[in-house]
Amino acid sequence: MNQKIKTKAVDQLFEAILTLENLEECYAFFEDVCTINELLSFAQRYEVATMLNENKTYLDIAEQTGASTATISRVNRSLNYGCDGYSLVFERLNKK
């Protein structure tokens, strides 16, 4: 975990997120906290990660998501060398 982001304010934000119980609550909270572009960027990165996890090519991902190759590369670096956050979520979603 990157210690630069581990602050009391980030802890409080994550604790708040963990209280959300369904999609409607997530929409309400994230629409208040994020700009539309920020939220769409988060969603795009997650979509890119999902497609990379499915071994899709950069070209296919760029065409389907509109993500730049720089974004795809950044997400790929997180998948390969990050904190395994994406992997954790993918595993849990596959169990459902």
Side-chain angles (χ1 to χ4, degrees), residues 5-67:
I5 67 166
K6 184 138 179 60
T7 66
K8 182 177 178 182
V10 174
D11 284 351
Q12 289 172 336
L13 172 64
F14 291 160
E15 290 292 336
I17 291 168
L18 289 171
T19 68
L20 302 173
E21 295 180 3
N22 56 50
L23 284 175
E24 289 303 316
E25 289 182 3
C26 287
Y27 273 102
F29 181 76
F30 282 97
E31 283 185 53
D32 284 350
V33 172
C34 300
T35 66
I36 292 171
N37 286 336
E38 289 169 336
L39 190 51
L40 293 176
S41 291
F42 280 132
Q44 183 185 63
R45 285 185 215 124
Y46 181 75
E47 184 178 21
V48 166
T50 300
M51 294 177 78
L52 285 168
N53 192 54
E54 295 168 349
N55 298 313
K56 304 284 184 185
T57 66
Y58 276 37
L59 181 60
D60 288 339
I61 295 168
E63 287 176 354
Q64 291 180 36
T65 66

